[in-house]
Amino acid sequence: MRDYNPHARKRMRERKISEADVEAALKRRSGNPRPGDKDRTVVYGYAPGQRILKIVLESDGQTVRSVMAVGE
């Protein structure tokens, strides 16, 4: 089970992105994970409806820090 910090939950609500969308995007990644700030990892993946999500994971690789839809 993945953890979502309060910032991620807030952004997901604002952007109408569900946990199911995030999990689907993490399973259908586009390219390799990229290094982010402060030892975080940035992952791009396809959510339902072919939306591409940018997901920022904490250094533990399990906690979602932020989520956004690319191009929206």
Side-chain angles (χ1 to χ4, degrees), residues 4-5 7 10-11 21 23 25 29 33 36 42-43 47-49 54-57 61 68-69 71-72:
Y4 294 79
N5 75 11
H7 175 80
K10 179 181 183 216
R11 295 294 182 221
D21 292 337
E23 295 303 321
R29 293 181 181 194
V42 178
V43 176
K54 175 182 178 183
I55 303 161
V56 180
L57 299 172
M68 63 203 72
E72 289 182 15

Side-chain angles (χ1 to χ4, degrees), residues 18-42:
S18 69
E19 281 187 36
D21 292 337
V22 173
E23 295 303 321
L26 288 170
K27 288 179 183 171
R28 297 187 59 217
R29 293 181 181 194
S30 173
N32 293 321
R34 300 174 182 147
D37 295 339
K38 301 180 184 177
D39 292 329
R40 295 179 180 132
T41 302
V42 178

